[in-house]
Amino acid sequence: MNTEIFGTILMYGIVVLLAIPLGRYIGKIFTNQPTWLDKIFNPVDNLFYKICGIDISKEMTWKQHLLALLTINAAWFVLSMLVLTNMSWLPLNPDGNPSMSADLAFNTSISFVVNTNLQHYSGETGISYLGQLILMLWQFVSAATGIAICAVVFMAMKERTTKTLGNFYFYFVRTCTRILFPIAVAVASILSFSGTPMTFEGKDTITTLQGDTLQVSRGPVAAFVAIKHLGTNGGGFYGANSAHPLENPTYLTNITEMVAQMLIPIAMIFALGFVIKRRTLSWMIFGVMSFGFLLLTIPTVISEINGNPKIAEMGIAQPLGSMEGKEVRIGAAASAYWSITTTVISTGSVNSMHDSYTPLSGMNQMLGMMINCFYGGVGVGILNFYIFIILAVFISGLMVGRTPEFLGKKIEAKEMKIAMLIALLHPFLILSATAIASSLYAGNPEAYSGWLANPGFHGFSEMLYEFTSSAANNGSGFEGLGDNTLFWNIACGLVMLLARFLPIVGPVAIAGILGSKKYIPESNGTLKTDTATFGLMVFAVIAIVAALAFFPALTLGPIAEYFSIY
Amino acid sequence: MKSNILPAIKLTLVCLVFFCGIYSLIIFGVAQFSPNNGKGEIITQNGKTFYSNIAQSFTADKYFWSRPSAVAYNAAGSAGSNKGPSNPDYLAEVQARIDTFLVHNPGVEKSEIPSDLVTASGSGLDPHISVQAANVQLKRIAKSRGITEADIQQLILSNIEKPLLGMFGPERINVLQLNIALDNLK
């Protein structure tokens, strides 16, 4: 068991060690400083700009940035719908898988374009290789969308007064080619050499040692799984996601995939400090996020190592901990660690089935998504955190009687209104959607009997988890939920759409408005935001606004289940 | 809006070529140097080919059993059971697996059965079991094959896959490889 704990510590250590230099590199990419990869990527980028007729010297205001972002996302959605509803006759379909129905394609297209990767289909039977490759494209560009728009906010936070914040396409293309692409190639190569398939051949049929016939799904898995993690997307090539022994064959690939998904979210924190030249602010943010992360991770790891009390009652041994839905090569500790990482940073890939976790572990997974800013998804995690910083600045400014200023810009009523709306949108979407689903189910449990795989409190948790995951851009699930129905496809699709773009629009608007305000140099009257005290303040605001809003719902689900079995 | 539409469509198409096409081909090229050219790691035994990372169903007493699978070991439709820890149907299912195991393994105490042998894996295709899960099946195999327990114990020991660098992750045993070694004993 000790070796399992060491494994989780190793994974965290590698991430932090790599994230600091990567953050510096990302900062250089945003501010257009020379790097050693320029020789390769300058010609590539220029080719992109030339073919697309993009003039990168044209600076954009925050509104123009959002317009460019929304337009290109709309184009992706249209292309995605076209491919997913016509896969059956298009090429690269060796297994003869069918096209998606319109509602499933709607859900899947939104899901991948907005970086959520909720999957109401199963990879082996529900999609062709062409479909997988198109989804892989969204995994690249949706991640780059988040990072690029985060770069815009960074530019607005600099010590100056400006209306224009660089060019959206410039940040977007550079993020794709210079950050995501090279790391994805490295990760995919490691996976490929560790036994993850990368082939365009269809299913193989073999005879087992005992003489049964067995079909094995293959495909271009390594390329897909690399960017799936790197871009905090999380959509699996196979139905079982990274629990599948071909998608995640060894402990080494488990470490690789874990590091890949956590790397950029943490590196972005350090990139912020590099771009606006405030390293201590980065460390404050990193400190608060890491504290929250550990607060969720440690109890979850302990709970899973201790096992399921109901199984213990049967009188058998649980030397490996709770093993339902987990894989032996990964083990309970690394599975529990992954389950919290994937929910706090909005990846949503799983290496074990969250539905089968002990109740409080399931609650911590949901809390990770409800708070949604302990690291958070690539780019957007910082945007979510930015909202809480604005709230904390305002509240603590009022408490100590100082003008609420952040980075030399005065925060006024308009910014506060936007921040509060965005902060409340998340619980509103999750709780109202769950309420609608629950009342439908409660009104006619027989008509909706296909929805829930588990009775009682846990069944409620399945519905709550699905909408939490949709709203948090996460994409993992309590997969017992029978979710490929018209209701779940449309409802989750709409929640994902609103929960992606409004939390991008809000912070960009605030940053844009603040950026154009007069810069006030720091004085004795300024509230210092890069201190531990202020970090504590931010943490308190997160705990009150984000976590407490969900407490009643959690009481009905995982907390009630906990008291029913312990 | 208008000035964004054309660049958006063009950029989408360029990204399509670069990230679906060129990126996939690069990784496909790299995979040609990897084990079995990126078609999944295999082992061959008496002319038969098996995927070493994919669990197989073993029901005969003479073989070590894999972990239970929620999808009947269907490697073209992976999934876990997704049963919650308090679900009464699920708990009854685990109890039934314990009872079946005890019937097939006389002389084994209930407290010796490790939970990985009676709980379904996440993928339904977990190729591994714990060392304890192999040891607890030792008597049954020795009896049904007429081999001494010491020989099988030796076989189990030599098939343990150690943690990464001896320090990170769990110890485990690949059931398929162990069973192949068992068949080769004679």
Side-chain angles (χ1 to χ4, degrees):
Chain A
M1 192 49 83
N2 276 339
T3 54
E4 292 193 37
I5 304 282
F6 289 154
T8 61
I9 297 170
L10 175 76
M11 286 188 268
Y12 192 71
I14 296 177
V15 167
V16 176
L17 279 183
L18 291 178
I20 296 173
L22 181 66
R24 175 191 294 269
Y25 173 74
I26 292 176
K28 284 185 180 170
I29 299 295
F30 289 168
T31 49
N32 201 8
Q33 293 178 35
T35 65
W36 58 277
L37 285 169
D38 284 351
K39 276 200 182 118
I40 309 169
F41 288 114
N42 278 346
V44 175
D45 288 358
N46 288 334
L47 190 68
F48 270 67
Y49 303 139
K50 201 173 162 196
I51 298 175
C52 306
I54 291 167
D55 176 12
I56 54 165
S57 65
K58 201 183 135 225
E59 297 242 337
M60 297 178 173
T61 63
W62 65 268
K63 283 180 189 163
Q64 288 169 327
H65 274 288
L66 288 176
L67 215 54
L69 182 151
L70 294 173
T71 312
I72 198 163
N73 271 265
W76 298 340
F77 174 76
V78 172
L79 178 59
S80 188
M81 283 297 283
L82 283 176
V83 172
L84 294 181
T85 51
N86 291 287
M87 289 182 299
S88 59
W89 59 271
L90 287 168
L92 287 180
N93 189 8
D95 295 338
N97 285 339
S99 301
M100 285 188 186
S101 65
D103 59 310
L104 181 58
F106 170 81
N107 183 286
T108 309
S109 296
I110 290 184
S111 173
F112 278 78
V113 167
V114 305
N115 200 255
T116 305
N117 292 210
L118 195 70
Q119 295 171 294
H120 288 179
Y121 64 93
S122 205
E124 291 95 333
T125 51
I127 191 164
S128 71
Y129 290 171
L130 182 73
Q132 299 271 26
L133 290 183
I134 280 289
L135 295 186
M136 185 176 82
L137 172 61
W138 309 144
Q139 294 187 327
F140 269 103
V141 294
S142 69
T145 301
I147 297 173
I149 204 66
C150 190
V152 174
V153 171
F154 287 179
M155 293 305 148
M157 287 160 83
K158 282 184 158 186
E159 292 179 358
R160 55 176 184 168
T161 303
T162 177
K163 283 204 184 314
T164 55
L165 303 165
N167 183 289
F168 178 76
Y169 300 113
F170 175 75
Y171 298 132
F172 173 80
V173 170
R174 289 172 80 85
T175 302
C176 283
T177 55
R178 294 168 194 239
I179 302 173
L180 297 175
F181 174 71
I183 309 179
V185 169
V187 172
S189 304
I190 296 176
L191 294 178
S192 174
F193 277 92
S194 305
T196 302
M198 184 65 205
T199 172
F200 290 93
E201 291 176 23
K203 280 177 207 162
D204 193 10
T205 307
I206 61 163
T207 308
T208 67
L209 196 57
Q210 260 200 181
D212 311 320
T213 305
L214 180 69
Q215 287 196 314
V216 179
S217 284
R218 297 180 292 179
V221 188
F224 188 93
V225 174
I227 185 63
K228 152 194 166 189
H229 287 108
L230 193 61
T232 66
N233 296 285
F237 191 93
Y238 296 112
N241 211 301
S242 280
H244 195 293
L246 293 180
E247 193 152 337
N248 189 6
T250 64
Y251 200 76
L252 178 69
T253 60
N254 192 63
I255 292 177
T256 309
E257 291 175 19
M258 167 54 62
V259 170
Q261 62 182 306
M262 227 174 166
L263 189 56
I264 295 182
I266 297 188
M268 289 300 283
I269 309 171
F270 295 110
L272 169 68
F274 184 84
V275 171
I276 65 168
K277 301 196 173 64
R278 282 175 185 265
R279 301 269 158 84
T280 44
L281 183 69
S282 284
W283 284 104
M284 185 281 283
I285 297 175
F286 178 72
V288 174
M289 289 180 168
S290 303
F291 179 67
F293 170 69
L294 293 177
L295 218 54
L296 293 173
T297 304
I298 293 170
T300 307
V301 171
I302 293 173
S303 178
E304 294 310 302
I305 286 177
N306 285 341
N308 180 351
K310 284 283 173 189
I311 302 255
E313 277 174 23
M314 295 175 192
I316 62 165
Q318 296 192 80
L320 303 183
S322 167
M323 285 308 284
E324 181 72 31
K326 296 196 183 69
E327 302 277 304
V328 169
R329 69 186 175 284
I330 299 164
S335 297
Y337 179 81
W338 178 302
S339 82
I340 295 300
T341 307
T342 194
T343 43
V344 295
I345 64 172
S346 103
T347 313
S349 71
V350 296
N351 69 358
S352 53
M353 295 302 135
H354 289 190
D355 217 346
S356 301
Y357 271 69
T358 54
L360 291 190
S361 303
M363 180 181 78
N364 289 342
Q365 291 157 5
M366 281 192 255
L367 270 174
M369 296 184 284
M370 288 162 172
I371 292 163
N372 207 18
C373 68
F374 290 153
Y375 306 133
V378 284
V380 291
I382 297 230
L383 298 193
N384 291 336
F385 198 83
Y386 181 66
I387 293 286
F388 289 113
I389 291 182
I390 299 290
L391 294 180
V393 165
F394 191 78
I395 293 171
S396 45
L398 289 182
M399 281 167 67
V400 296
R402 295 190 179 172
T403 39
E405 285 167 24
F406 180 52
L407 303 178
K409 302 296 172 76
K410 204 187 275 180
I411 293 168
E412 291 170 297
K414 195 174 181 188
E415 295 85 73
M416 272 309 291
K417 280 181 198 158
I418 301 173
M420 211 51 232
L421 277 177
I422 299 302
L424 291 178
L425 174 80
H426 193 55
F428 173 76
L429 284 176
I430 294 170
L431 296 176
S432 57
T434 309
I436 293 171
S438 310
S439 71
L440 277 177
Y441 183 85
N444 197 350
E446 274 169 29
Y448 300 109
S449 59
W451 281 10
L452 307 183
N454 292 286
F457 309 121
H458 198 88
F460 175 75
S461 299
E462 286 183 334
M463 293 189 280
L464 178 64
Y465 193 106
E466 187 75 1
F467 282 119
T468 307
S469 170
S470 303
N473 279 180
N474 189 274
S476 63
F478 272 12
E479 290 299 341
L481 188 76
D483 49 18
N484 184 14
T485 66
L486 195 63
F487 172 81
W488 287 102
N489 283 337
I490 303 287
C492 291
L494 294 177
V495 169
M496 285 189 282
L497 201 60
L498 293 172
R500 165 71 164 182
F501 293 112
L502 294 180
I504 284 181
V505 171
V508 172
I510 296 175
I513 295 169
L514 289 183
S516 61
K517 285 189 183 179
K518 205 178 127 226
Y519 176 71
I520 314 158
E522 274 188 21
S523 67
N524 285 337
T526 310
L527 178 81
K528 294 256 185 293
T529 50
D530 47 8
T531 61
T533 320
F534 184 73
L536 199 68
M537 194 66 203
V538 179
F539 188 83
V541 169
I542 292 172
I544 292 165
V545 175
L548 279 188
F550 294 102
F551 187 70
L554 291 172
T555 313
L556 293 175
I559 296 178
E561 190 187 11
Y562 173 84
F563 284 113
S564 74
I565 64 171
Y566 279 89
Chain B
M1 188 61 122
K2 230 175 175 181
S3 61
N4 285 315
I5 292 178
L6 215 55
I9 293 173
K10 284 182 186 168
L11 190 51
T12 304
L13 295 178
V14 175
C15 286
L16 181 75
V17 171
F18 196 80
F19 294 111
C20 285
I22 295 174
Y23 167 71
S24 303
L25 288 177
I26 291 174
I27 307 303
F28 184 73
V30 169
Q32 300 314 308
F33 300 95
S34 71
N36 195 26
N37 305 336
K39 292 173 191 170
E41 286 186 5
I42 50 171
I43 26 178
T44 38
Q45 161 83 351
N46 300 336
K48 280 200 207 170
T49 307
F50 309 118
Y51 286 85
S52 55
N53 286 320
I54 298 286
Q56 298 186 0
S57 167
F58 291 104
T59 46
D61 279 349
K62 61 172 184 166
Y63 283 123
F64 285 95
W65 295 351
S66 303
R67 295 187 61 196
S69 165
V71 292
Y73 305 96
N74 176 8
S78 61
S81 73
N82 290 309
K83 296 289 193 232
S86 61
N87 186 333
D89 294 344
Y90 159 66
L91 295 168
E93 206 177 335
V94 174
Q95 186 63 54
R97 287 185 194 134
I98 297 173
D99 296 342
T100 311
F101 189 86
L102 289 174
V103 169
H104 284 267
N105 294 272
V108 168
E109 290 293 324
K110 204 157 60 166
S111 59
E112 294 172 70
I113 305 174
S115 62
D116 57 310
L117 261 189
V118 291
T119 52
S121 60
S123 60
L125 309 171
D126 191 347
H128 295 104
I129 53 174
S130 64
V131 179
Q132 193 177 343
N135 285 333
V136 78
Q137 303 186 52
L138 189 151
K139 280 185 190 153
R140 181 191 79 224
I141 308 238
K143 203 174 148 202
S144 73
R145 293 205 174 227
I147 312 174
T148 64
E149 290 186 14
D151 283 350
I152 296 180
Q153 184 69 62
Q154 192 54 45
L155 203 64
I156 291 175
L157 284 177
S158 61
N159 269 281
I160 294 177
E161 294 177 14
K162 289 282 173 202
L164 184 64
L165 306 175
M167 277 183 74
F168 307 110
E171 277 189 342
R172 64 220 172 261
I173 289 176
N174 185 305
V175 185
L176 176 64
Q177 282 172 3
L178 181 61
N179 281 331
I180 289 175
L182 203 53
D183 274 355
N184 290 342
L185 258 188
K186 290 164 200 170

